[in-house]
Amino acid sequence: DREDVGRLALRVLVVGDSLAGPLATAMVGVARRDGMLRVTRDFRAGSGLAYPPYFDWPSRLSYLLAAKGPDALVVSLGTNDILTMRRDGRVVYVGTPGWQQEYIDRVGTMMDLAQQGGAVMYWVCPPSMADPFRNETMILVNEAIQEAALTRPWVHVVDVWPLFTDENGEYAGELPSREGEWTQVRSNDGVHLTAAGASWMANAVYEQMQRDWEGVPYAPILADHAAARAVAQVEATPTSTPSPTPQPQPEKKKKK
């Protein structure tokens, strides 16, 4: 029961692709920190919603919700969904309106399963990617997740895109932490998270949960990271000795 939050540990189930693995590990660390969460996990590397023959997430999620009975469901899916899909018997390609609508529908199915299972959902959008095509597709995936959640109040979207981009909104593998220390947050493949990056993501989810428990409307959690980034940028910029401001010279008197 949501009213019991603060007195009883929240049962949290983390599911998804290979990003969900380190996220779940980091969520376990959050759980140990203050005892507010009991975390279980179920993830499959390479999985997504675009190709059910490889892994059927709606079927798996139906089973997990019945077996685990979580209070909160944390989902990290979308990173691998850069494939064509079928809609109404036709192939739809990434970037087309048909693909976008099909993905919205598939995301919506997952969200509806959460409601049927009695779980509040926290869908963690994929972060930015180093590869341009994958990055552009993740923008479409994020938009689809946001749109599907608009009419589903039990779903909370955790947008971590700004958390893993630089001051220009571009992919960044290394970023300043809240304390201003430069930290490697992404793996060298330009897709996955380091342990530090997973910790950032887990904290973003947990802070969103805390806002919900306290009845505080959603607000970005990234201001402190942005401030640290600005400070780090200033400190990294070499300073030069300013040139003295030229002083006006008195006019010379003309000889008569």
Side-chain angles (χ1 to χ4, degrees):
D1 192 299
R2 297 295 294 280
E3 294 179 358
D4 290 333
V5 174
R7 294 185 289 110
L8 299 174
L10 197 72
R11 295 170 297 173
V12 179
L13 172 64
V14 183
V15 303
D17 53 27
S18 53
L19 265 66
L23 171 60
T25 300
M27 291 291 292
V28 170
V30 171
R32 290 172 180 161
R33 188 171 66 202
D34 59 12
M36 289 296 297
L37 308 177
R38 285 189 293 146
V39 180
T40 56
R41 67 194 102 182
D42 193 280
F43 64 95
R44 178 65 61 90
S47 67
L49 300 179
Y51 190 59
Y54 172 67
F55 195 78
D56 188 344
W57 266 113
S59 296
R60 181 62 178 171
L61 185 59
S62 295
Y63 163 76
L64 290 171
L65 289 168
K68 304 291 186 181
D71 302 305
L73 174 67
V74 177
V75 177
S76 175
L77 281 172
T79 305
N80 300 303
D81 291 330
I82 57 175
L83 308 172
T84 59
M85 296 186 289
R86 299 192 71 85
R87 181 175 178 83
D88 300 327
R90 296 183 177 183
V91 174
V92 287
Y93 294 91
V94 176
T96 63
W99 189 95
Q100 193 73 356
Q101 188 57 57
E102 180 63 21
Y103 200 78
I104 291 170
D105 292 347
R106 295 188 186 194
V107 168
T109 296
M110 295 283 286
M111 293 176 174
D112 292 341
L113 287 171
Q115 184 196 37
Q116 294 165 19
V120 177
M121 174 181 275
Y122 293 84
W123 198 304
V124 185
C125 290
S128 59
M129 300 287 157
D131 175 72
F133 173 71
R134 188 183 289 268
N135 193 64
E136 289 298 318
T137 307
M138 291 308 99
I139 293 174
L140 300 178
V141 166
N142 284 343
E143 290 174 351
I145 294 168
Q146 297 274 4
E147 184 166 342
L150 284 176
T151 56
R152 296 173 169 91
W154 62 91
V155 178
H156 302 273
V157 177
V158 184
D159 182 6
V160 297
W161 193 277
L163 195 61
F164 294 101
T165 51
D166 61 18
E167 65 275 6
N168 297 317
E170 302 294 334
Y171 169 89
E174 187 180 56
L175 288 164
S177 68
R178 293 177 175 181
E179 294 76 27
E181 297 178 0
W182 285 95
T183 305
Q184 189 73 30
V185 292
R186 305 298 292 275
S187 300
N188 293 333
D189 62 8
V191 175
H192 294 92
L193 304 170
T194 63
S199 179
W200 285 23
M201 187 178 284
N203 282 321
V205 176
Y206 187 49
E207 288 173 21
Q208 179 60 56
M209 288 179 172
Q210 288 177 309
R211 290 189 190 91
D212 298 336
W213 301 341
E214 296 167 3
V216 179
Y218 175 77
I221 64 167
L222 309 169
D224 47 2
H225 284 281
R229 189 176 303 156
V231 170
Q233 187 71 24
V234 170
E235 291 177 346
T237 303
T239 57
S240 57
T241 304
S243 301
T245 303
Q247 299 298 319
Q249 299 296 320
E251 290 185 9
K252 293 182 179 180
K253 293 182 179 181
K254 294 181 180 179
K255 293 181 179 180
K256 293 183 180 180

